[in-house]
Amino acid sequence: MQHFWDTVDTIPAGMGFSYFYPFHLCWLGGIALAIFALCRLYRQSDAARRQRIRRCLALLTVADELFKDAGLLIGGNFDPSYLPLHLCSINIFLIALHAWKPSKLLENFLYSFCIVPAAAALLFPVTWSSLPGANFMVIHSFTVHGLLLCYPILLLSAGELRRDWRYFPRCFLLLAGFAAVAVAANAVFDTNFMFLSRATEGNPLYLFQTLLGNHLWGYPILMVPLFLVLYGPQLLRERREKHQEAAVR
């Protein structure tokens, strides 16, 4: 427990863990089992209980973020780079908003820009893999991304998340607005919110830095397959239904 309150800026070298080794795989397996069990419980619940589950998850996610802030303050390590301006941190508050004020725009934003980033962070924990397992930031990072992944998957499993590709442009504009705030903060504080300033080795965006000279190419390039994977089935279904209607006429 000697390094429990350390961060990536204060930890000695060689204290971290490797991707997809037992420690990492245990966290991934535990998160997957917890999501599976909660989805099963959610599907079997009535409307009132589902609302309580959603709000409980939202409060747990916010509490997880506050746990991180408390740990940083206890260790004397809080600085502007820990402000909640990464996409996953922003999704914490969007989930809380959805839990009390659900909307189709929020649902589609969480579907488009919460599931994949949270899963990517869990699979490639670039920003906390240099820390030891018994560390508050490791605990926070795995649990908060697990909660972020769980919430929209919960809605999907129960058929409550109304996927609609027509909302994707609006979701993208909302994302661009958040990115503009992150860019401004990066310029003021010399931070790397939403990985817009740089991508370090181990980050999937680093591949674009290597191949194309700038990691930012990864965002527009990855947006197309992301859209097709998330909304392609809906587009194909709508096209098939139109053909069937035309055949009937």
Side-chain angles (χ1 to χ4, degrees), residues 112-113 168 172 175 217-228:
S112 300
F113 300 117
F168 190 81
F172 182 78
L175 177 66
W217 282 110
Y219 287 102
I221 290 173
L222 292 174
M223 203 65 66
V224 175
L226 176 67
F227 175 83
L228 292 175

Side-chain angles (χ1 to χ4, degrees), residues 31-127:
I31 289 168
L33 287 174
I35 291 174
F36 175 80
L38 199 54
C39 285
R40 186 174 181 181
L41 172 65
Y42 191 77
R43 288 195 302 269
Q44 295 170 350
S45 300
D46 59 22
R49 191 180 190 185
R50 286 183 178 187
Q51 183 184 73
R52 290 196 297 272
I53 291 172
R54 290 195 303 272
R55 291 181 175 180
C56 182
L57 277 176
L59 290 173
L60 281 173
T61 310
V62 173
D64 207 322
E65 180 70 8
L66 293 176
F67 165 70
K68 178 204 77 175
D69 293 336
L72 291 167
L73 291 171
I74 289 170
N77 295 315
F78 190 90
D79 63 50
S81 67
Y82 292 103
L83 292 171
L85 292 176
H86 279 294
L87 180 56
C88 286
S89 299
I90 292 167
N91 279 326
I92 291 172
F93 302 103
L94 295 182
I95 284 173
L97 180 60
H98 181 273
W100 271 268
K101 295 287 184 181
S103 73
K104 203 166 181 180
L105 177 61
L106 280 175
E107 288 172 7
N108 279 273
F109 189 92
L110 293 174
Y111 176 66
S112 300
F113 300 117
C114 184
I115 293 176
V116 172
L122 288 169
L123 291 171
F124 305 101
V126 179
T127 56

Side-chain angles (χ1 to χ4, degrees), residues 130-141:
S130 60
L131 295 166
N135 178 274
F136 83 102
M137 280 298 292
V138 172
I139 296 168
H140 157 73
S141 298

Side-chain angles (χ1 to χ4, degrees), residues 124-183:
F124 305 101
V126 179
T127 56
W128 71 90
S129 61
S130 60
L131 295 166
N135 178 274
F136 83 102
M137 280 298 292
V138 172
I139 296 168
H140 157 73
S141 298
F142 276 117
T143 54
V144 79
H145 287 98
L147 289 165
L148 289 169
L149 186 62
C150 181
Y151 189 92
I153 287 179
L154 208 67
L155 301 179
L156 273 174
S157 72
E160 292 179 346
L161 198 155
R162 298 160 292 176
R163 290 171 286 184
D164 190 341
W165 64 269
R166 297 168 187 85
Y167 277 82
F168 190 81
R170 275 176 273 182
C171 293
F172 182 78
L173 286 175
L174 186 58
L175 177 66
F178 294 139
V181 175
V183 167

